[in-house]
Amino acid sequence: MSAVQVSFEISPIFQRITSGLDPERARAEVTARLHAQSAAVPDELIDEITAEYQKVSTMLADTGVLYSGSCFGQFDGDWSMGSLTIGAQPLSYRDPEVAIAGMTKILAAEHGRHADVSALTLPCGQATLAIRQSPDLRLPAEFSESGEDLPIDVAQLQAFIPVPPSSVPGAQTLVTVTFSTPSTDHWADYCALLVPLLNSMRFRPAQEAELGAPAPEAAPSVAGGPTAAFG
């Protein structure tokens, strides 16, 4: 299997997540980012953002994904947050199109009516796209008016991309892009940021990257984006 260099352009609203944070350090980073925006945020919202941030930070330490970033700010005066990860894992396949057909069928059967699963063509290759919404998070009883735990809908987009042999000969790698947000009212705003990200993704042999300037496993560059509406 050939090693793969992944590059992409990402909106500046996303900031890298530090891996392996404990709850205290996660809250400190969240609070620092909010203060940088001169934002007055209720403690219960900071708790919610911290819980999401620390969960992703722990996952990073456990799985070693290529890139992970988070965003929190305001869309039209409403607070919003989301998390983005890009990972790569081995996958055996002869033809990316056959792999896509298989993944699309399996994911559609697995999620049923709770997800929209389809195949699509990106500039970097074929992909399976899964969009779903589920109450994976819960608001603790002490923060709810009813005194009971309340489900929080989480919207998620995942793109599964087998690296084409035309880009990296011998590649047997599946690149997965995952974006999640509990701010479901802002889904359309986030999609406007995710589409350019997916269209910007490129793959090349890691050996070629080593011949030029040193580069990390994932090489993101900051793209212009609608930051004025989010900040």
Side-chain angles (χ1 to χ4, degrees):
M1 180 180 70
S2 298
V4 177
Q5 172 81 11
V6 182
S7 63
F8 52 91
E9 294 182 357
I10 188 169
S11 168
I13 73 166
F14 289 101
Q15 297 185 47
R16 277 188 180 271
I17 295 176
T18 306
S19 66
L21 292 177
D22 58 31
E24 183 177 354
R25 291 172 61 206
R27 186 181 180 90
E29 284 206 9
V30 167
T31 302
R33 291 192 187 184
L34 291 173
H35 285 170
Q37 299 180 33
S38 301
V41 183
D43 286 343
E44 57 268 25
L45 182 55
I46 293 179
D47 290 339
E48 182 182 337
I49 294 172
T50 297
E52 177 74 6
Y53 186 75
Q54 200 259 333
K55 180 177 70 174
V56 176
S57 177
T58 299
M59 182 194 70
L60 279 178
D62 293 341
T63 62
V65 300
L66 300 179
Y67 172 88
S68 185
S70 67
C71 58
F72 32 85
Q74 291 180 299
F75 280 115
D76 300 324
D78 294 328
W79 284 104
S80 186
M81 65 177 175
S83 61
L84 172 72
T85 60
I86 298 175
Q89 63 188 78
L91 178 69
S92 297
Y93 55 95
R94 293 184 179 180
D95 186 332
E97 292 187 1
V98 175
I100 289 297
M103 285 189 294
T104 302
K105 182 177 180 180
I106 291 171
L107 289 171
E110 178 182 343
H111 296 302
R113 293 178 298 174
H114 301 291
D116 181 8
V117 181
S118 60
L120 77 159
T121 301
L122 297 172
C124 64
Q126 298 291 310
T128 292
L129 183 69
I131 298 175
R132 63 192 180 95
Q133 186 170 335
S134 61
D136 291 335
L137 295 181
R138 303 188 73 82
L139 181 68
E142 57 265 33
F143 299 129
S144 69
E145 294 182 0
S146 65
E148 299 178 352
D149 287 356
L150 296 177
I152 301 175
D153 284 340
V154 177
Q156 184 182 80
L157 178 149
Q158 285 190 297
F160 302 90
I161 314 168
V163 176
S166 57
S167 298
V168 182
Q172 294 286 277
T173 302
L174 177 68
V175 173
T176 303
V177 179
T178 302
F179 174 78
S180 299
T181 177
S183 308
T184 55
D185 288 346
H186 304 142
W187 183 247
D189 297 296
Y190 285 121
C191 285
L193 302 175
L194 296 173
V195 170
L197 165 66
L198 293 174
N199 284 332
S200 73
M201 297 194 72
R202 297 292 185 272
F203 310 125
R204 60 173 174 159
Q207 294 87 341
E208 290 185 8
E210 293 171 359
L211 295 177
E217 283 187 293
S221 62
V222 176
T227 56
F230 195 94

PDB file of all heavy atoms in Angstrom, residues 4-38:
ATOM      1  N   VAL A   4      -0.200   7.969   1.441  1.00  0.00           N
ATOM      2  CA  VAL A   4      -0.952   9.018   0.747  1.00  0.00           C
ATOM      3  C   VAL A   4      -0.791  10.346   1.465  1.00  0.00           C
ATOM      4  O   VAL A   4      -0.931  10.437   2.692  1.00  0.00           O
ATOM      5  CB  VAL A   4      -2.448   8.648   0.679  1.00  0.00           C
ATOM      6  CG1 VAL A   4      -3.251   9.772   0.034  1.00  0.00           C
ATOM      7  CG2 VAL A   4      -2.634   7.343  -0.083  1.00  0.00           C
ATOM      8  N   GLN A   5      -0.498  11.387   0.694  1.00  0.00           N
ATOM      9  CA  GLN A   5      -0.495  12.760   1.193  1.00  0.00           C
ATOM     10  C   GLN A   5      -1.861  13.368   0.878  1.00  0.00           C
ATOM     11  O   GLN A   5      -2.321  13.330  -0.268  1.00  0.00           O
ATOM     12  CB  GLN A   5       0.603  13.567   0.523  1.00  0.00           C
ATOM     13  CG  GLN A   5       0.581  15.063   0.808  1.00  0.00           C
ATOM     14  CD  GLN A   5       1.216  15.425   2.130  1.00  0.00           C
ATOM     15  OE1 GLN A   5       1.848  14.583   2.755  1.00  0.00           O
ATOM     16  NE2 GLN A   5       1.048  16.656   2.560  1.00  0.00           N
ATOM     17  N   VAL A   6      -2.529  13.919   1.893  1.00  0.00           N
ATOM     18  CA  VAL A   6      -3.846  14.523   1.729  1.00  0.00           C
ATOM     19  C   VAL A   6      -3.718  16.027   1.902  1.00  0.00           C
ATOM     20  O   VAL A   6      -3.145  16.498   2.891  1.00  0.00           O
ATOM     21  CB  VAL A   6      -4.850  13.973   2.764  1.00  0.00           C
ATOM     22  CG1 VAL A   6      -6.234  14.586   2.554  1.00  0.00           C
ATOM     23  CG2 VAL A   6      -4.926  12.445   2.686  1.00  0.00           C
ATOM     24  N   SER A   7      -4.223  16.799   0.945  1.00  0.00           N
ATOM     25  CA  SER A   7      -4.230  18.254   1.075  1.00  0.00           C
ATOM     26  C   SER A   7      -5.639  18.766   0.804  1.00  0.00           C
ATOM     27  O   SER A   7      -6.433  18.128   0.109  1.00  0.00           O
ATOM     28  CB  SER A   7      -3.229  18.899   0.118  1.00  0.00           C
ATOM     29  OG  SER A   7      -3.587  18.640  -1.234  1.00  0.00           O
ATOM     30  N   PHE A   8      -5.943  19.916   1.367  1.00  0.00           N
ATOM     31  CA  PHE A   8      -7.285  20.489   1.207  1.00  0.00           C
ATOM     32  C   PHE A   8      -7.260  21.941   1.644  1.00  0.00           C
ATOM     33  O   PHE A   8      -6.336  22.388   2.329  1.00  0.00           O
ATOM     34  CB  PHE A   8      -8.309  19.710   2.047  1.00  0.00           C
ATOM     35  CG  PHE A   8      -7.919  19.553   3.495  1.00  0.00           C
ATOM     36  CD1 PHE A   8      -8.307  20.473   4.451  1.00  0.00           C
ATOM     37  CD2 PHE A   8      -7.144  18.477   3.894  1.00  0.00           C
ATOM     38  CE1 PHE A   8      -7.939  20.339   5.772  1.00  0.00           C
ATOM     39  CE2 PHE A   8      -6.758  18.323   5.220  1.00  0.00           C
ATOM     40  CZ  PHE A   8      -7.154  19.256   6.160  1.00  0.00           C
ATOM     41  N   GLU A   9      -8.284  22.681   1.226  1.00  0.00           N
ATOM     42  CA  GLU A   9      -8.453  24.072   1.644  1.00  0.00           C
ATOM     43  C   GLU A   9      -9.622  24.137   2.612  1.00  0.00           C
ATOM     44  O   GLU A   9     -10.669  23.532   2.384  1.00  0.00           O
ATOM     45  CB  GLU A   9      -8.721  24.974   0.439  1.00  0.00           C
ATOM     46  CG  GLU A   9      -7.547  25.074  -0.519  1.00  0.00           C
ATOM     47  CD  GLU A   9      -7.819  26.016  -1.681  1.00  0.00           C
ATOM     48  OE1 GLU A   9      -8.958  26.535  -1.754  1.00  0.00           O
ATOM     49  OE2 GLU A   9      -6.916  26.227  -2.499  1.00  0.00           O
ATOM     50  N   ILE A  10      -9.444  24.900   3.697  1.00  0.00           N
ATOM     51  CA  ILE A  10     -10.444  24.916   4.765  1.00  0.00           C
ATOM     52  C   ILE A  10     -10.767  26.351   5.160  1.00  0.00           C
ATOM     53  O   ILE A  10      -9.891  27.229   5.137  1.00  0.00           O
ATOM     54  CB  ILE A  10      -9.927  24.104   5.972  1.00  0.00           C
ATOM     55  CG1 ILE A  10     -11.022  23.942   7.019  1.00  0.00           C
ATOM     56  CG2 ILE A  10      -8.683  24.730   6.577  1.00  0.00           C
ATOM     57  CD1 ILE A  10     -10.666  22.931   8.086  1.00  0.00           C
ATOM     58  N   SER A  11     -12.011  26.592   5.506  1.00  0.00           N
ATOM     59  CA  SER A  11     -12.427  27.929   5.922  1.00  0.00           C
ATOM     60  C   SER A  11     -11.699  28.330   7.203  1.00  0.00           C
ATOM     61  O   SER A  11     -11.466  27.503   8.087  1.00  0.00           O
ATOM     62  CB  SER A  11     -13.940  27.938   6.185  1.00  0.00           C
ATOM     63  OG  SER A  11     -14.318  29.127   6.857  1.00  0.00           O
ATOM     64  N   PRO A  12     -11.326  29.610   7.325  1.00  0.00           N
ATOM     65  CA  PRO A  12     -10.614  30.065   8.533  1.00  0.00           C
ATOM     66  C   PRO A  12     -11.463  30.047   9.788  1.00  0.00           C
ATOM     67  O   PRO A  12     -10.934  30.315  10.871  1.00  0.00           O
ATOM     68  CB  PRO A  12     -10.176  31.491   8.175  1.00  0.00           C
ATOM     69  CG  PRO A  12     -11.108  31.917   7.096  1.00  0.00           C
ATOM     70  CD  PRO A  12     -11.433  30.683   6.312  1.00  0.00           C
ATOM     71  N   ILE A  13     -12.764  29.739   9.699  1.00  0.00           N
ATOM     72  CA  ILE A  13     -13.538  29.647  10.942  1.00  0.00           C
ATOM     73  C   ILE A  13     -13.133  28.416  11.748  1.00  0.00           C
ATOM     74  O   ILE A  13     -13.381  28.342  12.947  1.00  0.00           O
ATOM     75  CB  ILE A  13     -15.061  29.620  10.688  1.00  0.00           C
ATOM     76  CG1 ILE A  13     -15.529  28.287  10.118  1.00  0.00           C
ATOM     77  CG2 ILE A  13     -15.502  30.768   9.820  1.00  0.00           C
ATOM     78  CD1 ILE A  13     -17.033  28.110  10.169  1.00  0.00           C
ATOM     79  N   PHE A  14     -12.484  27.423  11.094  1.00  0.00           N
ATOM     80  CA  PHE A  14     -12.060  26.225  11.810  1.00  0.00           C
ATOM     81  C   PHE A  14     -10.676  26.429  12.418  1.00  0.00           C
ATOM     82  O   PHE A  14      -9.780  26.978  11.783  1.00  0.00           O
ATOM     83  CB  PHE A  14     -12.021  25.022  10.866  1.00  0.00           C
ATOM     84  CG  PHE A  14     -13.379  24.538  10.454  1.00  0.00           C
ATOM     85  CD1 PHE A  14     -13.891  24.885   9.216  1.00  0.00           C
ATOM     86  CD2 PHE A  14     -14.140  23.749  11.297  1.00  0.00           C
ATOM     87  CE1 PHE A  14     -15.151  24.450   8.826  1.00  0.00           C
ATOM     88  CE2 PHE A  14     -15.392  23.313  10.915  1.00  0.00           C
ATOM     89  CZ  PHE A  14     -15.907  23.660   9.684  1.00  0.00           C
ATOM     90  N   GLN A  15     -10.510  25.979  13.644  1.00  0.00           N
ATOM     91  CA  GLN A  15      -9.217  25.996  14.311  1.00  0.00           C
ATOM     92  C   GLN A  15      -8.879  24.575  14.739  1.00  0.00           C
ATOM     93  O   GLN A  15      -9.758  23.818  15.160  1.00  0.00           O
ATOM     94  CB  GLN A  15      -9.252  26.906  15.543  1.00  0.00           C
ATOM     95  CG  GLN A  15      -9.527  28.369  15.209  1.00  0.00           C
ATOM     96  CD  GLN A  15      -9.420  29.249  16.440  1.00  0.00           C
ATOM     97  OE1 GLN A  15      -8.486  29.156  17.215  1.00  0.00           O
ATOM     98  NE2 GLN A  15     -10.405  30.118  16.611  1.00  0.00           N
ATOM     99  N   ARG A  16      -7.591  24.227  14.633  1.00  0.00           N
ATOM    100  CA  ARG A  16      -7.166  22.880  15.006  1.00  0.00           C
ATOM    101  C   ARG A  16      -7.506  22.579  16.460  1.00  0.00           C
ATOM    102  O   ARG A  16      -7.399  23.440  17.324  1.00  0.00           O
ATOM    103  CB  ARG A  16      -5.656  22.712  14.800  1.00  0.00           C
ATOM    104  CG  ARG A  16      -5.253  22.368  13.379  1.00  0.00           C
ATOM    105  CD  ARG A  16      -3.772  22.040  13.335  1.00  0.00           C
ATOM    106  NE  ARG A  16      -3.324  21.701  11.993  1.00  0.00           N
ATOM    107  CZ  ARG A  16      -3.340  20.476  11.484  1.00  0.00           C
ATOM    108  NH1 ARG A  16      -3.787  19.479  12.214  1.00  0.00           N
ATOM    109  NH2 ARG A  16      -2.917  20.254  10.253  1.00  0.00           N
ATOM    110  N   ILE A  17      -7.880  21.328  16.717  1.00  0.00           N
ATOM    111  CA  ILE A  17      -8.166  20.868  18.069  1.00  0.00           C
ATOM    112  C   ILE A  17      -6.920  20.205  18.644  1.00  0.00           C
ATOM    113  O   ILE A  17      -6.286  19.371  17.990  1.00  0.00           O
ATOM    114  CB  ILE A  17      -9.338  19.864  18.071  1.00  0.00           C
ATOM    115  CG1 ILE A  17     -10.625  20.564  17.621  1.00  0.00           C
ATOM    116  CG2 ILE A  17      -9.530  19.230  19.445  1.00  0.00           C
ATOM    117  CD1 ILE A  17     -11.805  19.630  17.499  1.00  0.00           C
ATOM    118  N   THR A  18      -6.569  20.578  19.854  1.00  0.00           N
ATOM    119  CA  THR A  18      -5.451  19.943  20.550  1.00  0.00           C
ATOM    120  C   THR A  18      -5.887  18.561  21.021  1.00  0.00           C
ATOM    121  O   THR A  18      -6.965  18.404  21.599  1.00  0.00           O
ATOM    122  CB  THR A  18      -5.019  20.784  21.760  1.00  0.00           C
ATOM    123  OG1 THR A  18      -4.741  22.114  21.335  1.00  0.00           O
ATOM    124  CG2 THR A  18      -3.789  20.194  22.418  1.00  0.00           C
ATOM    125  N   SER A  19      -5.071  17.554  20.786  1.00  0.00           N
ATOM    126  CA  SER A  19      -5.455  16.192  21.152  1.00  0.00           C
ATOM    127  C   SER A  19      -5.139  15.894  22.619  1.00  0.00           C
ATOM    128  O   SER A  19      -4.216  16.466  23.202  1.00  0.00           O
ATOM    129  CB  SER A  19      -4.744  15.167  20.263  1.00  0.00           C
ATOM    130  OG  SER A  19      -3.351  15.204  20.500  1.00  0.00           O
ATOM    131  N   GLY A  20      -5.933  14.999  23.210  1.00  0.00           N
ATOM    132  CA  GLY A  20      -5.667  14.491  24.558  1.00  0.00           C
ATOM    133  C   GLY A  20      -5.946  15.455  25.690  1.00  0.00           C
ATOM    134  O   GLY A  20      -5.354  15.332  26.773  1.00  0.00           O
ATOM    135  N   LEU A  21      -6.847  16.407  25.520  1.00  0.00           N
ATOM    136  CA  LEU A  21      -7.140  17.372  26.575  1.00  0.00           C
ATOM    137  C   LEU A  21      -8.038  16.763  27.650  1.00  0.00           C
ATOM    138  O   LEU A  21      -8.996  16.046  27.343  1.00  0.00           O
ATOM    139  CB  LEU A  21      -7.830  18.609  25.997  1.00  0.00           C
ATOM    140  CG  LEU A  21      -7.001  19.519  25.087  1.00  0.00           C
ATOM    141  CD1 LEU A  21      -7.877  20.640  24.552  1.00  0.00           C
ATOM    142  CD2 LEU A  21      -5.802  20.093  25.842  1.00  0.00           C
ATOM    143  N   ASP A  22      -7.753  17.091  28.920  1.00  0.00           N
ATOM    144  CA  ASP A  22      -8.685  16.732  29.985  1.00  0.00           C
ATOM    145  C   ASP A  22      -9.762  17.821  30.055  1.00  0.00           C
ATOM    146  O   ASP A  22      -9.630  18.882  29.417  1.00  0.00           O
ATOM    147  CB  ASP A  22      -7.957  16.562  31.325  1.00  0.00           C
ATOM    148  CG  ASP A  22      -7.203  17.814  31.761  1.00  0.00           C
ATOM    149  OD1 ASP A  22      -7.647  18.937  31.432  1.00  0.00           O
ATOM    150  OD2 ASP A  22      -6.171  17.680  32.430  1.00  0.00           O
ATOM    151  N   PRO A  23     -10.859  17.580  30.790  1.00  0.00           N
ATOM    152  CA  PRO A  23     -11.962  18.568  30.808  1.00  0.00           C
ATOM    153  C   PRO A  23     -11.525  19.972  31.225  1.00  0.00           C
ATOM    154  O   PRO A  23     -11.996  20.969  30.659  1.00  0.00           O
ATOM    155  CB  PRO A  23     -12.938  17.970  31.818  1.00  0.00           C
ATOM    156  CG  PRO A  23     -12.703  16.493  31.727  1.00  0.00           C
ATOM    157  CD  PRO A  23     -11.226  16.350  31.505  1.00  0.00           C
ATOM    158  N   GLU A  24     -10.601  20.075  32.180  1.00  0.00           N
ATOM    159  CA  GLU A  24     -10.172  21.404  32.653  1.00  0.00           C
ATOM    160  C   GLU A  24      -9.425  22.163  31.568  1.00  0.00           C
ATOM    161  O   GLU A  24      -9.687  23.350  31.321  1.00  0.00           O
ATOM    162  CB  GLU A  24      -9.287  21.249  33.889  1.00  0.00           C
ATOM    163  CG  GLU A  24      -8.849  22.582  34.490  1.00  0.00           C
ATOM    164  CD  GLU A  24      -8.033  22.401  35.755  1.00  0.00           C
ATOM    165  OE1 GLU A  24      -7.907  21.254  36.226  1.00  0.00           O
ATOM    166  OE2 GLU A  24      -7.517  23.416  36.276  1.00  0.00           O
ATOM    167  N   ARG A  25      -8.503  21.487  30.882  1.00  0.00           N
ATOM    168  CA  ARG A  25      -7.741  22.149  29.820  1.00  0.00           C
ATOM    169  C   ARG A  25      -8.627  22.429  28.605  1.00  0.00           C
ATOM    170  O   ARG A  25      -8.448  23.445  27.920  1.00  0.00           O
ATOM    171  CB  ARG A  25      -6.550  21.286  29.426  1.00  0.00           C
ATOM    172  CG  ARG A  25      -5.471  21.195  30.489  1.00  0.00           C
ATOM    173  CD  ARG A  25      -4.426  20.166  30.110  1.00  0.00           C
ATOM    174  NE  ARG A  25      -3.761  20.494  28.858  1.00  0.00           N
ATOM    175  CZ  ARG A  25      -3.208  19.600  28.049  1.00  0.00           C
ATOM    176  NH1 ARG A  25      -3.250  18.309  28.360  1.00  0.00           N
ATOM    177  NH2 ARG A  25      -2.618  19.977  26.939  1.00  0.00           N
ATOM    178  N   ALA A  26      -9.598  21.541  28.334  1.00  0.00           N
ATOM    179  CA  ALA A  26     -10.523  21.787  27.228  1.00  0.00           C
ATOM    180  C   ALA A  26     -11.345  23.042  27.491  1.00  0.00           C
ATOM    181  O   ALA A  26     -11.539  23.877  26.597  1.00  0.00           O
ATOM    182  CB  ALA A  26     -11.443  20.578  27.042  1.00  0.00           C
ATOM    183  N   ARG A  27     -11.819  23.185  28.723  1.00  0.00           N
ATOM    184  CA  ARG A  27     -12.603  24.370  29.059  1.00  0.00           C
ATOM    185  C   ARG A  27     -11.755  25.638  28.958  1.00  0.00           C
ATOM    186  O   ARG A  27     -12.234  26.681  28.507  1.00  0.00           O
ATOM    187  CB  ARG A  27     -13.184  24.238  30.466  1.00  0.00           C
ATOM    188  CG  ARG A  27     -14.149  25.375  30.837  1.00  0.00           C
ATOM    189  CD  ARG A  27     -14.690  25.233  32.240  1.00  0.00           C
ATOM    190  NE  ARG A  27     -15.598  26.329  32.557  1.00  0.00           N
ATOM    191  CZ  ARG A  27     -16.902  26.311  32.332  1.00  0.00           C
ATOM    192  NH1 ARG A  27     -17.450  25.240  31.789  1.00  0.00           N
ATOM    193  NH2 ARG A  27     -17.652  27.336  32.650  1.00  0.00           N
ATOM    194  N   ALA A  28     -10.476  25.529  29.340  1.00  0.00           N
ATOM    195  CA  ALA A  28      -9.593  26.692  29.254  1.00  0.00           C
ATOM    196  C   ALA A  28      -9.410  27.136  27.808  1.00  0.00           C
ATOM    197  O   ALA A  28      -9.429  28.343  27.503  1.00  0.00           O
ATOM    198  CB  ALA A  28      -8.242  26.363  29.887  1.00  0.00           C
ATOM    199  N   GLU A  29      -9.249  26.179  26.883  1.00  0.00           N
ATOM    200  CA  GLU A  29      -9.087  26.537  25.470  1.00  0.00           C
ATOM    201  C   GLU A  29     -10.371  27.142  24.909  1.00  0.00           C
ATOM    202  O   GLU A  29     -10.333  28.128  24.168  1.00  0.00           O
ATOM    203  CB  GLU A  29      -8.679  25.302  24.660  1.00  0.00           C
ATOM    204  CG  GLU A  29      -7.227  24.903  24.840  1.00  0.00           C
ATOM    205  CD  GLU A  29      -6.678  24.139  23.645  1.00  0.00           C
ATOM    206  OE1 GLU A  29      -7.380  24.068  22.596  1.00  0.00           O
ATOM    207  OE2 GLU A  29      -5.554  23.622  23.750  1.00  0.00           O
ATOM    208  N   VAL A  30     -11.514  26.534  25.266  1.00  0.00           N
ATOM    209  CA  VAL A  30     -12.798  27.058  24.790  1.00  0.00           C
ATOM    210  C   VAL A  30     -13.000  28.483  25.293  1.00  0.00           C
ATOM    211  O   VAL A  30     -13.377  29.392  24.531  1.00  0.00           O
ATOM    212  CB  VAL A  30     -13.955  26.150  25.254  1.00  0.00           C
ATOM    213  CG1 VAL A  30     -15.295  26.842  25.048  1.00  0.00           C
ATOM    214  CG2 VAL A  30     -13.929  24.830  24.490  1.00  0.00           C
ATOM    215  N   THR A  31     -12.742  28.704  26.569  1.00  0.00           N
ATOM    216  CA  THR A  31     -12.940  30.022  27.163  1.00  0.00           C
ATOM    217  C   THR A  31     -12.017  31.057  26.517  1.00  0.00           C
ATOM    218  O   THR A  31     -12.428  32.184  26.228  1.00  0.00           O
ATOM    219  CB  THR A  31     -12.683  29.975  28.676  1.00  0.00           C
ATOM    220  OG1 THR A  31     -13.560  29.011  29.276  1.00  0.00           O
ATOM    221  CG2 THR A  31     -12.938  31.328  29.315  1.00  0.00           C
ATOM    222  N   ALA A  32     -10.770  30.661  26.247  1.00  0.00           N
ATOM    223  CA  ALA A  32      -9.815  31.587  25.626  1.00  0.00           C
ATOM    224  C   ALA A  32     -10.278  31.998  24.230  1.00  0.00           C
ATOM    225  O   ALA A  32     -10.169  33.167  23.846  1.00  0.00           O
ATOM    226  CB  ALA A  32      -8.433  30.939  25.568  1.00  0.00           C
ATOM    227  N   ARG A  33     -10.808  31.039  23.470  1.00  0.00           N
ATOM    228  CA  ARG A  33     -11.279  31.364  22.118  1.00  0.00           C
ATOM    229  C   ARG A  33     -12.471  32.306  22.162  1.00  0.00           C
ATOM    230  O   ARG A  33     -12.579  33.241  21.360  1.00  0.00           O
ATOM    231  CB  ARG A  33     -11.644  30.089  21.363  1.00  0.00           C
ATOM    232  CG  ARG A  33     -10.448  29.221  21.012  1.00  0.00           C
ATOM    233  CD  ARG A  33     -10.854  28.140  20.032  1.00  0.00           C
ATOM    234  NE  ARG A  33      -9.785  27.181  19.802  1.00  0.00           N
ATOM    235  CZ  ARG A  33      -9.865  26.194  18.936  1.00  0.00           C
ATOM    236  NH1 ARG A  33     -10.958  26.033  18.215  1.00  0.00           N
ATOM    237  NH2 ARG A  33      -8.859  25.351  18.780  1.00  0.00           N
ATOM    238  N   LEU A  34     -13.372  32.064  23.105  1.00  0.00           N
ATOM    239  CA  LEU A  34     -14.541  32.927  23.212  1.00  0.00           C
ATOM    240  C   LEU A  34     -14.144  34.325  23.659  1.00  0.00           C
ATOM    241  O   LEU A  34     -14.676  35.322  23.163  1.00  0.00           O
ATOM    242  CB  LEU A  34     -15.546  32.313  24.195  1.00  0.00           C
ATOM    243  CG  LEU A  34     -16.225  31.029  23.713  1.00  0.00           C
ATOM    244  CD1 LEU A  34     -17.065  30.419  24.830  1.00  0.00           C
ATOM    245  CD2 LEU A  34     -17.106  31.297  22.498  1.00  0.00           C
ATOM    246  N   HIS A  35     -13.196  34.419  24.590  1.00  0.00           N
ATOM    247  CA  HIS A  35     -12.731  35.736  25.035  1.00  0.00           C
ATOM    248  C   HIS A  35     -12.044  36.482  23.901  1.00  0.00           C
ATOM    249  O   HIS A  35     -12.121  37.711  23.817  1.00  0.00           O
ATOM    250  CB  HIS A  35     -11.777  35.572  26.219  1.00  0.00           C
ATOM    251  CG  HIS A  35     -12.480  35.242  27.507  1.00  0.00           C
ATOM    252  ND1 HIS A  35     -11.819  34.853  28.649  1.00  0.00           N
ATOM    253  CD2 HIS A  35     -13.800  35.227  27.825  1.00  0.00           C
ATOM    254  CE1 HIS A  35     -12.689  34.625  29.613  1.00  0.00           C
ATOM    255  NE2 HIS A  35     -13.902  34.835  29.131  1.00  0.00           N
ATOM    256  N   ALA A  36     -11.375  35.752  23.021  1.00  0.00           N
ATOM    257  CA  ALA A  36     -10.724  36.383  21.876  1.00  0.00           C
ATOM    258  C   ALA A  36     -11.741  37.047  20.952  1.00  0.00           C
ATOM    259  O   ALA A  36     -11.413  37.970  20.208  1.00  0.00           O
ATOM    260  CB  ALA A  36      -9.903  35.357  21.103  1.00  0.00           C
ATOM    261  N   GLN A  37     -12.980  36.537  21.003  1.00  0.00           N
ATOM    262  CA  GLN A  37     -14.056  37.127  20.203  1.00  0.00           C
ATOM    263  C   GLN A  37     -14.827  38.182  20.985  1.00  0.00           C
ATOM    264  O   GLN A  37     -15.834  38.706  20.522  1.00  0.00           O
ATOM    265  CB  GLN A  37     -15.031  36.036  19.747  1.00  0.00           C
ATOM    266  CG  GLN A  37     -14.399  34.967  18.883  1.00  0.00           C
ATOM    267  CD  GLN A  37     -15.404  33.918  18.449  1.00  0.00           C
ATOM    268  OE1 GLN A  37     -16.580  34.216  18.244  1.00  0.00           O
ATOM    269  NE2 GLN A  37     -14.960  32.688  18.302  1.00  0.00           N
ATOM    270  N   SER A  38     -14.351  38.492  22.203  1.00  0.00           N
ATOM    271  CA  SER A  38     -15.037  39.454  23.084  1.00  0.00           C
ATOM    272  C   SER A  38     -16.491  39.063  23.272  1.00  0.00           C
ATOM    273  O   SER A  38     -17.399  39.903  23.201  1.00  0.00           O
ATOM    274  CB  SER A  38     -14.934  40.883  22.509  1.00  0.00           C
ATOM    275  OG  SER A  38     -13.581  41.268  22.379  1.00  0.00           O
TER     276      SER A  38
END
